[in-house]
Amino acid sequence: IHCSLLTTGARDRQMLRLLVLHGPNLNLLGTREPSVYGQMSLSDIDKSITRRSGELGIAVQTKQSNSEGELVTWIQNARGHFDGIIINPAAYTHTSIAIRDAIAAVALPTVEVHLSNIHQREEFRHHSFIAGVAIGQIAGFGPTGYLLALEALTVHLGAKRSSSRTRADVRKKPAASRR
Ligand code: CA2
């Protein structure tokens, strides 16, 4: 209910609507392994995402799940409610063809975020099933990565929007004045 209210209001105001998804164990942030994942709790991170999105004039919804199936369902349901997705799939990054297929199926521009630099860590973290269907990946910047992703997706969608407006303008112009 909250989700549809947020997106309806945003749609009325023609705002970009982004869905931010956090995968398994990220609810533990700030409580354990601060040397790897930092001191910030997930709710602190979500607050900073919400603050930045306000500055950017976009609407965001943030959600966390420990369940692969729930993440898949949220991605599937994003179609028609959101313009893009930011996801930290956590350990599912390295295992989940289901999440990859869901992102490919909804065809919403998606940015993959990791707090740590997965390429600097154990070999098994170097491969991402998500990267091939994402417009880009941000890793190693801690919670700032989410803010960079907001910015990147806003620019990406803004460019897409203005180029489709340009194409519409070209189409609307009478043939005579187009020459
Ligand atoms: O660096 C990231 O953001 C990761 O997606 C985090 C995942 C890990 O499996 C990926 O390889 C990289 C793990 C999230 C677990 O988060 C915890 C937070 C606090 C305490 C324990 C785990």
Side-chain angles (χ1 to χ4, degrees), residues 36-37 40 113-118 137-149:
V36 187
Y37 298 118
M40 265 175 105
V113 171
H114 299 285
L115 297 161
S116 64
N117 181 350
I118 55 173
Q137 183 192 66
I138 298 169
F141 295 99
T144 305
Y146 291 100
L147 308 184
L148 297 172

mmCIF file of all heavy atoms in Angstrom, residues 36-37 40 113-118 137-149:
data_model
loop_
_atom_site.group_PDB
_atom_site.id
_atom_site.type_symbol
_atom_site.label_atom_id
_atom_site.label_comp_id
_atom_site.label_asym_id
_atom_site.label_seq_id
_atom_site.Cartn_x
_atom_site.Cartn_y
_atom_site.Cartn_z
ATOM 1 N N VAL A 36 34.731 -4.766 7.661
ATOM 2 C CA VAL A 36 34.441 -5.038 6.246
ATOM 3 C C VAL A 36 33.323 -4.125 5.742
ATOM 4 O O VAL A 36 33.429 -3.538 4.662
ATOM 5 C CB VAL A 36 34.001 -6.524 6.024
ATOM 6 C CG1 VAL A 36 33.878 -6.820 4.525
ATOM 7 C CG2 VAL A 36 34.962 -7.485 6.683
ATOM 8 N N TYR A 37 32.236 -4.013 6.525
ATOM 9 C CA TYR A 37 31.034 -3.357 6.002
ATOM 10 C C TYR A 37 30.721 -1.995 6.640
ATOM 11 O O TYR A 37 29.718 -1.380 6.304
ATOM 12 C CB TYR A 37 29.827 -4.289 6.148
ATOM 13 C CG TYR A 37 29.996 -5.573 5.350
ATOM 14 C CD1 TYR A 37 30.037 -6.814 5.970
ATOM 15 C CD2 TYR A 37 30.139 -5.522 3.957
ATOM 16 C CE1 TYR A 37 30.210 -7.982 5.224
ATOM 17 C CE2 TYR A 37 30.317 -6.680 3.216
ATOM 18 C CZ TYR A 37 30.350 -7.907 3.857
ATOM 19 O OH TYR A 37 30.517 -9.042 3.120
ATOM 20 N N MET A 40 27.781 1.945 9.742
ATOM 21 C CA MET A 40 26.406 2.434 9.533
ATOM 22 C C MET A 40 25.403 1.294 9.545
ATOM 23 O O MET A 40 25.645 0.236 8.973
ATOM 24 C CB MET A 40 26.304 3.146 8.176
ATOM 25 C CG MET A 40 26.473 4.655 8.249
ATOM 26 S SD MET A 40 26.483 5.345 6.593
ATOM 27 C CE MET A 40 24.858 6.081 6.535
ATOM 28 N N VAL A 113 25.052 -2.471 -6.656
ATOM 29 C CA VAL A 113 25.899 -1.791 -5.664
ATOM 30 C C VAL A 113 26.474 -2.803 -4.671
ATOM 31 O O VAL A 113 25.767 -3.722 -4.245
ATOM 32 C CB VAL A 113 25.075 -0.722 -4.886
ATOM 33 C CG1 VAL A 113 25.874 -0.154 -3.710
ATOM 34 C CG2 VAL A 113 24.634 0.413 -5.798
ATOM 35 N N HIS A 114 27.733 -2.627 -4.338
ATOM 36 C CA HIS A 114 28.345 -3.382 -3.242
ATOM 37 C C HIS A 114 29.097 -2.431 -2.343
ATOM 38 O O HIS A 114 29.800 -1.544 -2.831
ATOM 39 C CB HIS A 114 29.307 -4.453 -3.764
ATOM 40 C CG HIS A 114 28.611 -5.454 -4.617
ATOM 41 N ND1 HIS A 114 27.804 -6.427 -4.084
ATOM 42 C CD2 HIS A 114 28.528 -5.582 -5.957
ATOM 43 C CE1 HIS A 114 27.280 -7.133 -5.061
ATOM 44 N NE2 HIS A 114 27.690 -6.633 -6.222
ATOM 45 N N LEU A 115 28.950 -2.643 -1.049
ATOM 46 C CA LEU A 115 29.668 -1.813 -0.079
ATOM 47 C C LEU A 115 31.172 -2.048 -0.205
ATOM 48 O O LEU A 115 31.959 -1.109 -0.240
ATOM 49 C CB LEU A 115 29.200 -2.168 1.337
ATOM 50 C CG LEU A 115 27.720 -1.881 1.614
ATOM 51 C CD1 LEU A 115 27.246 -2.666 2.829
ATOM 52 C CD2 LEU A 115 27.508 -0.390 1.821
ATOM 53 N N SER A 116 31.556 -3.313 -0.268
ATOM 54 C CA SER A 116 32.974 -3.666 -0.347
ATOM 55 C C SER A 116 33.394 -3.793 -1.807
ATOM 56 O O SER A 116 32.544 -3.916 -2.701
ATOM 57 C CB SER A 116 33.215 -4.990 0.390
ATOM 58 O OG SER A 116 32.511 -6.048 -0.248
ATOM 59 N N ASN A 117 34.708 -3.775 -2.027
ATOM 60 C CA ASN A 117 35.221 -4.001 -3.381
ATOM 61 C C ASN A 117 35.312 -5.520 -3.593
ATOM 62 O O ASN A 117 36.294 -6.154 -3.204
ATOM 63 C CB ASN A 117 36.591 -3.339 -3.546
ATOM 64 C CG ASN A 117 37.128 -3.533 -4.957
ATOM 65 O OD1 ASN A 117 36.577 -4.308 -5.743
ATOM 66 N ND2 ASN A 117 38.197 -2.839 -5.279
ATOM 67 N N ILE A 118 34.261 -6.088 -4.199
ATOM 68 C CA ILE A 118 34.174 -7.549 -4.330
ATOM 69 C C ILE A 118 35.339 -8.117 -5.147
ATOM 70 O O ILE A 118 35.695 -9.279 -4.985
ATOM 71 C CB ILE A 118 32.813 -7.998 -4.935
ATOM 72 C CG1 ILE A 118 32.532 -7.307 -6.277
ATOM 73 C CG2 ILE A 118 31.679 -7.746 -3.954
ATOM 74 C CD1 ILE A 118 31.289 -7.852 -6.991
ATOM 75 N N GLN A 137 27.999 -1.248 -12.362
ATOM 76 C CA GLN A 137 28.250 -1.775 -11.014
ATOM 77 C C GLN A 137 29.098 -0.774 -10.233
ATOM 78 O O GLN A 137 30.042 -0.217 -10.790
ATOM 79 C CB GLN A 137 29.012 -3.097 -11.147
ATOM 80 C CG GLN A 137 29.294 -3.814 -9.848
ATOM 81 C CD GLN A 137 30.296 -4.941 -10.047
ATOM 82 O OE1 GLN A 137 31.458 -4.710 -10.367
ATOM 83 N NE2 GLN A 137 29.842 -6.174 -9.863
ATOM 84 N N ILE A 138 28.732 -0.548 -8.972
ATOM 85 C CA ILE A 138 29.515 0.336 -8.095
ATOM 86 C C ILE A 138 29.929 -0.490 -6.885
ATOM 87 O O ILE A 138 29.068 -1.031 -6.186
ATOM 88 C CB ILE A 138 28.680 1.569 -7.665
ATOM 89 C CG1 ILE A 138 28.290 2.400 -8.891
ATOM 90 C CG2 ILE A 138 29.453 2.425 -6.656
ATOM 91 C CD1 ILE A 138 27.255 3.475 -8.629
ATOM 92 N N ALA A 139 31.225 -0.615 -6.647
ATOM 93 C CA ALA A 139 31.694 -1.455 -5.548
ATOM 94 C C ALA A 139 32.877 -0.814 -4.856
ATOM 95 O O ALA A 139 33.758 -0.250 -5.514
ATOM 96 C CB ALA A 139 32.094 -2.833 -6.077
ATOM 97 N N GLY A 140 32.877 -0.880 -3.532
ATOM 98 C CA GLY A 140 34.061 -0.478 -2.776
ATOM 99 C C GLY A 140 33.977 0.888 -2.118
ATOM 100 O O GLY A 140 34.914 1.290 -1.441
ATOM 101 N N PHE A 141 32.867 1.587 -2.292
ATOM 102 C CA PHE A 141 32.751 2.939 -1.734
ATOM 103 C C PHE A 141 31.887 2.996 -0.478
ATOM 104 O O PHE A 141 31.496 4.081 -0.047
ATOM 105 C CB PHE A 141 32.216 3.917 -2.786
ATOM 106 C CG PHE A 141 33.159 4.099 -3.938
ATOM 107 C CD1 PHE A 141 32.964 3.424 -5.119
ATOM 108 C CD2 PHE A 141 34.264 4.930 -3.825
ATOM 109 C CE1 PHE A 141 33.840 3.569 -6.186
ATOM 110 C CE2 PHE A 141 35.157 5.094 -4.883
ATOM 111 C CZ PHE A 141 34.939 4.405 -6.065
ATOM 112 N N GLY A 142 31.568 1.818 0.094
ATOM 113 C CA GLY A 142 30.722 1.805 1.282
ATOM 114 C C GLY A 142 29.349 2.362 0.958
ATOM 115 O O GLY A 142 28.908 2.325 -0.201
ATOM 116 N N PRO A 143 28.662 2.926 1.973
ATOM 117 C CA PRO A 143 27.305 3.442 1.766
ATOM 118 C C PRO A 143 27.208 4.540 0.699
ATOM 119 O O PRO A 143 26.155 4.732 0.093
ATOM 120 C CB PRO A 143 26.933 4.010 3.138
ATOM 121 C CG PRO A 143 27.789 3.259 4.100
ATOM 122 C CD PRO A 143 29.077 2.979 3.380
ATOM 123 N N THR A 144 28.325 5.239 0.453
ATOM 124 C CA THR A 144 28.338 6.261 -0.607
ATOM 125 C C THR A 144 27.964 5.663 -1.960
ATOM 126 O O THR A 144 27.424 6.355 -2.823
ATOM 127 C CB THR A 144 29.748 6.910 -0.691
ATOM 128 O OG1 THR A 144 30.083 7.405 0.593
ATOM 129 C CG2 THR A 144 29.821 8.029 -1.702
ATOM 130 N N GLY A 145 28.238 4.363 -2.128
ATOM 131 C CA GLY A 145 27.912 3.687 -3.394
ATOM 132 C C GLY A 145 26.442 3.827 -3.773
ATOM 133 O O GLY A 145 26.105 3.988 -4.950
ATOM 134 N N TYR A 146 25.571 3.779 -2.771
ATOM 135 C CA TYR A 146 24.131 3.914 -3.056
ATOM 136 C C TYR A 146 23.810 5.316 -3.577
ATOM 137 O O TYR A 146 22.944 5.492 -4.425
ATOM 138 C CB TYR A 146 23.292 3.645 -1.804
ATOM 139 C CG TYR A 146 23.297 2.211 -1.341
ATOM 140 C CD1 TYR A 146 24.116 1.804 -0.294
ATOM 141 C CD2 TYR A 146 22.471 1.264 -1.943
ATOM 142 C CE1 TYR A 146 24.118 0.490 0.142
ATOM 143 C CE2 TYR A 146 22.470 -0.052 -1.514
ATOM 144 C CZ TYR A 146 23.297 -0.433 -0.474
ATOM 145 O OH TYR A 146 23.293 -1.734 -0.053
ATOM 146 N N LEU A 147 24.515 6.323 -3.004
ATOM 147 C CA LEU A 147 24.253 7.708 -3.418
ATOM 148 C C LEU A 147 24.788 7.929 -4.835
ATOM 149 O O LEU A 147 24.153 8.619 -5.650
ATOM 150 C CB LEU A 147 24.884 8.693 -2.422
ATOM 151 C CG LEU A 147 24.531 8.457 -0.942
ATOM 152 C CD1 LEU A 147 25.139 9.539 -0.056
ATOM 153 C CD2 LEU A 147 23.015 8.396 -0.730
ATOM 154 N N LEU A 148 25.939 7.309 -5.127
ATOM 155 C CA LEU A 148 26.486 7.388 -6.485
ATOM 156 C C LEU A 148 25.531 6.714 -7.474
ATOM 157 O O LEU A 148 25.323 7.201 -8.591
ATOM 158 C CB LEU A 148 27.863 6.717 -6.547
ATOM 159 C CG LEU A 148 28.966 7.352 -5.681
ATOM 160 C CD1 LEU A 148 30.220 6.486 -5.675
ATOM 161 C CD2 LEU A 148 29.287 8.763 -6.168
ATOM 162 N N ALA A 149 24.934 5.599 -7.037
ATOM 163 C CA ALA A 149 23.991 4.877 -7.904
ATOM 164 C C ALA A 149 22.744 5.718 -8.176
ATOM 165 O O ALA A 149 22.239 5.739 -9.314
ATOM 166 C CB ALA A 149 23.602 3.545 -7.264
#
